Amino acid sequence: MGFLSAERSIIKFGQKRRLSDLTRNNLKMPGSTKTDGITKNKMKKYFLFVVPATTFCLGCWQWKRHIWKTNLIEKIRSGMKEEPIEFPIDDLSQLEQLEYRKVHVKGMYLFQKQFVIRWRGRLDLKENDPQNDNLIQRNWSSTLNNNGAQVITPFKISGTDQVIMINRGWIPAERIEYELNEGRQRKPIEKDITGTVRRSEMPHQFLNNQPNKNIWVYKDLKQMANHCDASPILIDVDKSLFNEGNFEPIGSQTNIALRNQHFNYMLQWFSLSAVTLIMWISKVL
């Protein structure tokens, strides 16, 4: 009897223990669910704050870009107004810092390997300048609205074996074949020139250079240098050599138009940041 009583006591204790555990678990479940819900809401609020924070950072970045571009444009403009310096033949690494600076160099044109960059509009004309308008109309049948090309000619610097490239200027479309044929037959001519140091252009969006076919649509100095056995150095002739007698290319074809849209981009990002921040605050409150 004593053994049976002890066994019943153990069974009852086990049943009570299981009932107690179940009750305790049931009591914890509502609290646990509530805690999980609060945590998820906090995480959601923090996640939504990422949008205004990110757009604000992008606005700050565009502000820095705006300051950088403004300083760059001012540097270029001031450099273009300075007096020409001598071409740094003894230290060509200086050219990395001399883009858009005017330099003076003396040497000899090597016409045999010249080529053209197509299709280019004329950049040197000023608005409302009837004198230039009459000049071009009188000598070439092309109108000012037609595209032409820029003539690139190798140039051997006097007293050295260094060959660079010179952008001699703009020609109308009807003059291209002459420069690529008869123009290459001319004997070397010694010239004393002043021009602007340039770098490679961005590749064309739809067209590529074809050096093997002598077709050029943008200025890639390394490709151009390999094509005409010169160094990857390009100078845009500053002074026009055009006259009625020899139909030389028209110089001063340096394009210095730089767009600065970073201020507009900054306003867009800051506006988006403000709108999303207001939405976030209304959501939180």
Side-chain angles (χ1 to χ4, degrees):
M1 292 294 292
F3 176 76
L4 292 175
S5 298
E7 185 177 4
R8 290 193 188 99
S9 298
I10 293 173
I11 292 173
K12 288 181 179 181
F13 178 78
Q15 291 175 345
K16 290 180 179 180
R17 181 66 179 270
R18 286 195 297 272
L19 180 61
S20 176
D21 291 342
L22 289 173
T23 303
R24 187 163 54 250
N25 290 336
N26 290 334
L27 290 174
K28 286 184 177 180
M29 286 178 63
S32 177
T33 303
K34 185 176 181 180
T35 303
D36 292 342
I38 294 174
T39 303
K40 289 181 179 179
N41 287 334
K42 287 184 177 180
M43 292 179 62
K44 186 177 181 180
K45 291 176 181 178
Y46 288 134
F47 177 76
L48 292 176
F49 184 73
V50 170
V51 177
T54 302
T55 50
F56 179 79
C57 292
L58 289 172
C60 293
W61 176 65
Q62 287 296 336
W63 171 248
K64 291 183 178 180
R65 294 282 294 174
H66 169 71
I67 295 175
W68 167 78
K69 182 61 74 67
T70 301
N71 292 336
L72 176 62
I73 293 174
E74 183 60 31
K75 180 181 178 181
I76 291 174
R77 287 176 176 173
S78 61
M80 292 288 290
K81 295 177 182 178
E82 294 180 4
E83 291 296 320
I85 63 175
E86 289 298 320
F87 184 85
I89 186 62
D90 296 327
D91 186 8
L92 297 179
S93 63
Q94 294 183 28
L95 293 172
E96 292 294 327
Q97 308 298 325
L98 294 179
E99 187 180 19
Y100 292 108
R101 281 295 307 274
K102 294 182 184 299
V103 295
H104 169 263
V105 62
K106 185 177 182 180
M108 184 174 294
Y109 280 123
L110 307 176
F111 296 103
Q112 291 77 12
K113 293 186 178 182
Q114 73 178 11
F115 55 97
V116 300
I117 308 290
R118 324 174 189 221
W119 296 96
R120 300 295 172 113
R122 186 178 171 188
L123 301 176
D124 64 298
L125 286 179
K126 297 180 180 179
E127 295 182 1
N128 302 320
D129 191 346
Q131 183 177 358
N132 282 337
D133 193 348
N134 292 334
L135 183 63
I136 190 73
Q137 292 286 352
R138 184 168 62 250
N139 290 283
W140 286 324
S141 61
S142 295
T143 64
L144 296 178
N145 293 326
N146 283 351
N147 283 330
Q150 294 179 6
V151 183
I152 310 297
T153 305
F155 187 82
K156 184 178 180 181
I157 299 176
S158 297
T160 72
D161 293 327
Q162 184 71 48
V163 178
I164 61 176
M165 296 175 290
I166 302 295
N167 178 3
R168 291 169 51 220
W170 180 88
I171 57 173
E174 61 202 62
R175 188 72 177 176
I176 292 176
E177 290 303 318
Y178 171 83
E179 292 294 343
L180 294 179
N181 294 287
E182 291 89 340
R184 288 183 169 184
Q185 306 304 317
R186 283 176 287 186
K187 295 181 180 180
I189 299 176
E190 190 172 34
K191 288 288 183 180
D192 195 349
I193 67 170
T194 298
T196 305
V197 178
R198 299 304 311 275
R199 293 182 182 176
S200 296
E201 296 175 338
M202 294 292 292
H204 197 281
Q205 187 174 2
F206 302 107
L207 302 175
N208 293 319
N209 291 332
Q210 301 181 52
N212 57 326
K213 297 182 180 180
N214 199 23
I215 297 176
W216 304 87
V217 293
Y218 64 90
K219 297 170 184 173
D220 184 318
L221 298 193
K222 290 184 178 180
Q223 283 186 341
M224 293 161 59
N226 291 334
H227 179 73
C228 65
D229 296 327
S231 297
I233 300 169
L234 178 66
I235 296 176
D236 290 346
V237 167
D238 184 45
K239 185 178 180 180
S240 176
L241 300 176
F242 179 88
N243 61 62
E244 296 185 22
N246 58 21
F247 297 97
E248 280 295 313
I250 302 172
S252 301
Q253 299 300 311
T254 301
N255 183 8
I256 57 173
L258 296 177
R259 298 179 60 190
N260 187 3
Q261 299 294 324
H262 296 292
F263 187 79
N264 294 333
Y265 300 151
M266 178 197 70
L267 292 180
Q268 293 175 7
W269 285 121
F270 280 152
S271 298
L272 183 59
S273 177
V275 171
T276 53
L277 180 62
I278 293 173
M279 294 174 62
W280 179 79
I281 292 175
S282 63
K283 186 75 174 178
V284 171
L285 298 180

